[in-house]
Short mmCIF file of all heavy atoms in Angstrom, two decimals:
data_model
loop_
_atom_site.label_atom_id
_atom_site.label_comp_id
_atom_site.label_asym_id
_atom_site.label_seq_id
_atom_site.Cartn_x
_atom_site.Cartn_y
_atom_site.Cartn_z
N PRO A 642 24.34 106.25 90.60
CA PRO A 642 25.29 106.97 91.59
C PRO A 642 25.36 106.37 92.88
O PRO A 642 26.47 106.36 93.52
CB PRO A 642 24.68 108.38 91.61
CG PRO A 642 23.78 108.47 90.50
CD PRO A 642 23.42 107.12 90.13
N PHE A 643 24.25 105.79 93.43
CA PHE A 643 24.42 105.19 94.79
C PHE A 643 25.26 104.00 94.81
O PHE A 643 26.06 103.89 95.73
CB PHE A 643 22.96 104.80 95.21
CG PHE A 643 22.88 104.26 96.58
CD1 PHE A 643 23.02 105.02 97.70
CD2 PHE A 643 22.68 102.90 96.83
CE1 PHE A 643 22.98 104.59 98.96
CE2 PHE A 643 22.65 102.37 98.12
CZ PHE A 643 22.69 103.30 99.16
N ALA A 644 25.20 103.19 93.78
CA ALA A 644 26.13 101.95 93.71
C ALA A 644 27.54 102.35 93.60
O ALA A 644 28.49 101.71 94.01
CB ALA A 644 25.68 101.01 92.65
N LYS A 683 26.58 116.07 95.16
CA LYS A 683 25.58 115.45 94.28
C LYS A 683 24.28 115.23 94.99
O LYS A 683 24.29 114.98 96.20
CB LYS A 683 26.02 114.12 93.72
CG LYS A 683 27.20 114.21 92.76
CD LYS A 683 27.60 112.95 92.14
CE LYS A 683 28.73 113.13 91.21
NZ LYS A 683 29.19 111.97 90.70
N ARG A 684 23.19 115.39 94.35
CA ARG A 684 21.82 115.16 94.88
C ARG A 684 21.53 113.68 94.64
O ARG A 684 21.63 113.22 93.49
CB ARG A 684 20.82 115.99 94.22
CG ARG A 684 21.07 117.44 94.42
CD ARG A 684 20.08 118.37 93.63
NE ARG A 684 18.72 118.12 94.14
CZ ARG A 684 17.64 118.40 93.46
NH1 ARG A 684 17.69 118.77 92.19
NH2 ARG A 684 16.48 118.13 94.02
N LEU A 685 21.25 112.90 95.71
CA LEU A 685 21.12 111.47 95.61
C LEU A 685 19.73 110.98 95.92
O LEU A 685 19.01 111.62 96.60
CB LEU A 685 22.08 110.79 96.62
CG LEU A 685 23.52 111.17 96.57
CD1 LEU A 685 24.30 110.53 97.71
CD2 LEU A 685 24.10 110.80 95.21
N VAL A 686 19.35 109.83 95.24
CA VAL A 686 18.17 109.18 95.50
C VAL A 686 18.57 107.75 95.99
O VAL A 686 19.25 107.03 95.19
CB VAL A 686 17.17 109.05 94.23
CG1 VAL A 686 16.00 108.16 94.64
CG2 VAL A 686 16.77 110.43 93.94
N VAL A 687 18.17 107.41 97.07
CA VAL A 687 18.52 106.10 97.72
C VAL A 687 17.31 105.15 97.53
O VAL A 687 16.18 105.51 98.06
CB VAL A 687 18.83 106.12 99.17
CG1 VAL A 687 19.16 104.79 99.76
CG2 VAL A 687 20.12 107.05 99.38
N VAL A 688 17.44 104.05 96.86
CA VAL A 688 16.29 103.09 96.60
C VAL A 688 16.57 101.88 97.39
O VAL A 688 17.58 101.23 97.34
CB VAL A 688 16.20 102.73 95.09
CG1 VAL A 688 15.03 101.81 94.86
CG2 VAL A 688 16.10 104.04 94.30
N LEU A 705 25.79 109.59 104.05
CA LEU A 705 25.75 110.22 102.66
C LEU A 705 25.83 111.74 102.90
O LEU A 705 26.58 112.43 102.17
CB LEU A 705 24.59 109.85 101.88
CG LEU A 705 24.56 108.43 101.49
CD1 LEU A 705 23.23 108.02 100.80
CD2 LEU A 705 25.72 108.07 100.58
N ASP A 712 21.53 116.98 99.11
CA ASP A 712 20.24 116.39 99.20
C ASP A 712 20.26 114.85 99.14
O ASP A 712 20.89 114.33 98.19
CB ASP A 712 19.36 116.86 97.99
CG ASP A 712 19.13 118.33 98.11
OD1 ASP A 712 19.00 118.84 99.19
OD2 ASP A 712 19.01 118.98 97.02
N VAL A 713 19.48 114.20 100.04
CA VAL A 713 19.39 112.72 99.93
C VAL A 713 17.91 112.38 99.98
O VAL A 713 17.22 112.74 100.96
CB VAL A 713 20.14 111.99 101.02
CG1 VAL A 713 20.07 110.51 100.95
CG2 VAL A 713 21.58 112.38 100.98
N HIS A 714 17.40 111.72 99.05
CA HIS A 714 15.97 111.35 98.97
C HIS A 714 15.91 109.82 98.97
O HIS A 714 16.69 109.12 98.37
CB HIS A 714 15.33 111.91 97.66
CG HIS A 714 15.35 113.40 97.57
ND1 HIS A 714 14.35 114.12 98.10
CD2 HIS A 714 16.26 114.20 97.04
CE1 HIS A 714 14.61 115.44 97.94
NE2 HIS A 714 15.79 115.45 97.22
N GLY A 715 14.87 109.28 99.70
CA GLY A 715 14.63 107.89 99.82
C GLY A 715 13.46 107.44 99.02
O GLY A 715 12.35 108.08 99.02
N ARG A 716 13.53 106.26 98.48
CA ARG A 716 12.45 105.61 97.76
C ARG A 716 12.41 104.19 98.21
O ARG A 716 13.42 103.42 98.13
CB ARG A 716 12.56 105.69 96.28
CG ARG A 716 12.75 107.02 95.64
CD ARG A 716 11.43 107.82 95.84
NE ARG A 716 11.46 109.11 95.16
CZ ARG A 716 11.89 110.27 95.80
NH1 ARG A 716 12.04 110.25 97.09
NH2 ARG A 716 11.90 111.42 95.17
#
Side-chain angles (χ1 to χ4, degrees):
F643 183 72
K683 293 187 179 170
R684 299 174 65 203
L685 305 176
V686 174
V687 178
V688 180
L705 293 171
D712 293 328
V713 180
H714 300 269
R716 303 291 184 262

